[in-house]
Amino acid sequence: MTGIIDVHTHYVPHGWPDVTDTAGPDAPWLRVESEREAMMMTGGTEFRRIQSDAWDPQVRLADMDADGVATQVVSPTPVFFNYARTGDQAAKISRIFNDLALDITGPAGERMIPFCQVPLQDPELACEELDRCLANGHRGVEIGNHVGDRDLDDAGVVEFLQHCATRQVPVFVHPWDMTGSPRLDRWMAKWLVGMPAESHLSILAMILGGVFDRVDDRLRIGFAHGGGSFAFWLGRMENAWHRRNDIIGTSEYPPSHYLGRFYVDSVVFDDRALRLLVDTVGPERVMVGSDYPYPLGERPAGGVVRTSEFLDEETRALILRGNAERFIGS
């Protein structure tokens, strides 16, 4: 197959069984308002209005055709990770959502590639759920960028990442549960400032937390939203590693050494930002991502990559498809 691969899209099932007996009164549920619209809920709180493109494969396929997208990686919506619950509670919810995801992607065949979610707060249960999902047809896993106050260098998370490396399963990291502050309550600042900062912090944890030193290089891991602000501040990290090595010399090598160990998506919306991203992480480590179907995503998917004036055709082809094929393992 040829055509664009979009590695960053999300789904929401069109309803699921009541999980309040497991998750409590603030459990996730969907308030269906019509055949085409619904409201994502956490307990009695409205989270986000969605439409049928979140669950209807035919709507998604029509949008993919309109955008020139051959294949979507379809991942969970992070609000449903439930990392604050017990491992058993999160495992039950993960099983429900993961099984429903196959109902969405199944009718599309190879055009939609399902990634599962796992109870990351419990590494043993997370590995078990990943293995179950792989047996059922999932091709990868999406995880949040932290579990409470534990970042990606937490021992339990590293255990899960090594399991993914051993199984050669791609991991897509998505920011979620951004830090709250009255200063971030205006202008969607949690999404405009918090998400880029969270992604940057996660890559920082992978490097300075020594994860890339501990997990073997079979690990294929990618970060949403262009890796956040990482590309812009790599030089600052590098300078600090050398000048304040007594504090942050916690990785075996300086930060730039680990370029080539991770992927990022392309959803940065600006050709100048894309140039910096490609120049920093390398042309073989950037993949098209759109954040479909949510309103802060890129439509058409890969638009900046396709119209960029600085990319040569070989590099453009890598970003539009070749790098994603390597990441997914197809």
Side-chain angles (χ1 to χ4, degrees):
M1 184 182 290
T2 59
I4 294 173
I5 298 177
D6 183 351
V7 301
H8 180 181
T9 81
H10 300 287
Y11 76 91
V12 178
H14 195 213
W16 51 88
D18 185 358
V19 294
T20 53
D21 60 329
T22 296
D26 60 340
W29 59 286
L30 194 69
R31 191 177 73 205
V32 177
E33 298 178 348
S34 72
E35 292 183 358
R36 297 184 178 182
E37 292 195 356
M39 178 66 72
M40 296 162 57
M41 304 289 295
T42 54
T45 302
E46 294 182 348
F47 178 74
R48 178 180 294 158
R49 182 170 298 280
I50 58 172
Q51 297 177 319
S52 57
D53 49 10
W55 65 75
D56 188 330
Q58 300 309 316
V59 173
R60 296 180 74 104
L61 286 169
D63 285 347
M64 291 166 65
D65 290 341
D67 284 7
V69 173
T71 307
Q72 284 184 344
V73 171
V74 183
S75 295
T77 295
V79 71
F80 299 130
F81 285 154
N82 290 282
Y83 293 160
R85 307 187 192 281
T86 68
D88 288 336
Q89 290 172 334
K92 178 178 179 180
I93 295 171
S94 292
R95 286 193 294 269
I96 291 171
F97 278 84
N98 289 334
D99 291 347
L100 289 172
L102 298 178
D103 294 336
I104 296 171
T105 60
E110 289 299 309
R111 295 196 64 187
M112 293 185 193
I113 298 175
F115 274 30
C116 65
Q117 66 183 66
V118 296
L120 195 60
Q121 62 268 59
D122 187 313
E124 182 177 350
L125 291 177
C127 292
E128 289 177 2
E129 179 59 12
L130 175 65
D131 290 345
R132 186 189 77 89
C133 288
L134 293 176
N136 288 344
H138 287 82
R139 299 271 296 280
V141 59
E142 180 188 65
I143 64 172
N145 67 307
H146 66 101
V147 179
D149 291 331
R150 294 181 287 154
D151 219 318
L152 297 185
D153 60 330
D154 173 77
V157 177
V158 173
E159 179 183 341
F160 175 74
L161 292 177
Q162 181 57 58
H163 183 73
C164 292
T166 302
R167 295 296 310 271
Q168 298 189 52
V169 174
V171 180
F172 191 67
V173 181
H174 198 289
W176 82 295
D177 193 30
M178 288 85 73
T179 300
S181 164
R183 296 174 61 230
L184 296 175
D185 288 339
R186 301 185 294 170
W187 316 309
M188 296 192 74
K190 285 184 179 179
W191 281 263
L192 300 180
V193 176
M195 274 197 168
E198 287 286 346
S199 294
H200 181 179
L201 180 59
S202 298
I203 300 175
L204 195 75
M206 293 287 294
I207 294 172
L208 298 183
V211 182
F212 289 126
D213 296 326
R214 287 180 278 165
V215 177
D216 69 66
D217 59 11
R218 289 176 294 176
L219 178 66
R220 301 197 304 274
I221 189 166
F223 292 84
H225 306 299
S229 49
F230 171 83
F232 193 83
W233 291 115
L234 174 60
R236 185 174 177 85
M237 292 170 57
E238 192 85 356
N239 179 69
W241 194 92
H242 288 288
R243 291 182 176 269
R244 292 308 311 267
N245 193 266
D246 57 320
I247 297 175
I248 71 166
T250 49
S251 55
E252 186 174 351
Y253 302 100
S256 62
H257 174 84
Y258 301 95
L259 297 173
R261 289 295 305 273
F262 59 92
Y263 296 82
V264 296
D265 73 17
S266 66
V267 63
V268 294
F269 304 100
D270 186 281
D271 195 44
R272 294 163 298 182
L274 181 64
R275 180 192 288 270
L276 175 63
L277 192 62
V278 171
D279 286 348
T280 302
V281 305
E284 295 185 347
R285 292 289 162 171
V286 182
M287 311 175 289
V288 166
S290 70
D291 210 0
Y292 177 96
Y294 296 132
L296 292 187
E298 182 185 42
R299 291 291 306 273
V304 173
V305 174
R306 284 186 278 191
T307 60
S308 173
E309 296 183 358
F310 79 89
L311 293 173
D312 60 43
E313 290 311 306
E314 181 180 358
T315 303
R316 198 188 318 274
L318 283 175
I319 297 173
L320 292 176
R321 185 175 183 91
N323 295 337
E325 287 182 321
R326 192 170 62 254
F327 172 68
I328 298 165
S330 56

